[in-house]
Amino acid sequence: MRRKSDLPTKICAVCGRPFAWRRKWAKVWDEVKYCSESCRGRRPKREGGDAVPVRQRDRRLPGGDRGHLGRERG
């Protein structure tokens, strides 16, 4: 039986932590860059694109003032 310390490791491109080979990555180990789904979701966006997530981009108001979003004060 193999020990975890005997398995190949890589450094996660997002969090910088080391992670070990997993059986489900056997065929694509050369392409694996992230240690988890959460890091894959937080990966840096491609250059040339809008770096602001869609949820935030839709909330922006002209002039940079966010104002009252969906709630009136009375």
Side-chain angles (χ1 to χ4, degrees):
M1 184 176 241
R2 258 187 150 166
R3 290 187 209 135
K4 192 168 185 170
S5 62
D6 295 338
L7 297 173
T9 60
K10 287 187 178 186
I11 303 296
C12 178
V14 174
C15 68
R17 293 185 212 157
F19 62 97
W21 180 91
R22 294 182 189 169
R23 183 176 290 170
K24 68 180 182 179
W25 293 336
K27 294 180 182 177
V28 293
W29 178 245
D30 293 334
E31 301 168 19
V32 175
K33 298 178 184 177
Y34 311 106
C35 65
S36 64
E37 286 292 323
S38 63
C39 278
R40 192 172 73 124
R42 293 185 306 160
R43 68 183 177 253
K45 303 299 177 199
R46 293 181 182 167
E47 289 185 25
D50 191 359
V52 178
V54 174
R55 284 177 261 136
Q56 290 179 3
R57 183 175 56 227
D58 292 342
R59 286 193 223 156
R60 286 191 291 191
L61 299 176
D65 182 15
R66 292 181 63 178
H68 303 290
L69 297 175
R71 189 171 66 168
E72 293 184 27
R73 294 184 182 197

